[in-house]
Amino acid sequence: MTRFEIELKKGNFVCSECKKCNQLVWPPSEFCSKCFQSVTWRQITPDAKLVEFSKKGDQIFCIAEFEDGIRVVGTLDTKHYDLKIGQSLLLTECGFNGSERFVFKIKTQ
Ligand SMILES: [Zn+2]
């Protein structure tokens, strides 16, 4: 397992960041994909935006975008069906069990 997966399994959504490029490296890696410098790891801010969604039975699948344009596929835990692209989401749960798992809810002010 990668460091990213180990942390994800513990419920920590972390990503590598290049101090030289001042950018998160996605997909996460021990080295920056642009300048090949070593990276530091840090927690990702749980705020995201809804990029895309689709309904399958009772479940809503979504693509959410975090800081620095990081995008993940997850599920949206909501009873609201008037979803809008660009809506603010909050990451409430993450995990790893062979594949990545991200659960979001709609962020209310
Ligand atoms: Zn770099």
Side-chain angles (χ1 to χ4, degrees):
M1 276 169 78
T2 64
R3 174 160 186 175
F4 169 68
E5 292 166 352
I6 291 165
E7 288 297 324
L8 205 57
K9 195 164 188 165
K10 288 191 267 182
N12 299 322
F13 181 29
V14 299
C15 186
S16 46
E17 184 176 47
C18 177
K19 287 291 172 207
K20 201 175 165 213
C21 300
N22 211 14
Q23 280 261 314
L24 292 167
V25 180
W26 189 260
S29 162
E30 297 292 335
F31 299 96
C32 174
S33 53
K34 288 196 188 90
C35 71
F36 304 104
Q37 297 287 310
S38 57
V39 296
T40 55
W41 292 79
R42 72 163 171 90
Q43 197 102 22
I44 300 297
T45 312
D47 295 280
K49 286 223 179 317
L50 184 62
V51 174
E52 230 179 280
F53 64 93
S54 66
K55 287 172 211 161
K56 224 178 205 174
D58 276 349
Q59 273 211 308
I60 302 172
F61 293 90
C62 66
I63 297 176
E65 186 173 297
F66 292 93
E67 50 183 314
D68 281 0
I70 288 177
R71 289 183 176 192
V72 304
V73 177
T75 54
L76 193 50
D77 187 13
T78 179
K79 295 278 171 267
H80 290 271
Y81 292 109
D82 53 344
L83 298 168
K84 287 185 192 74
I85 301 299
Q87 195 155 13
S88 296
L89 304 178
L90 202 63
L91 179 70
T92 54
E93 216 184 304
C94 65
F96 187 86
N97 198 354
S99 62
E100 298 158 17
R101 199 171 77 89
F102 296 97
V103 182
F104 294 90
K105 69 169 191 176
I106 291 177
K107 190 177 180 183
T108 46
Q109 313 313 329

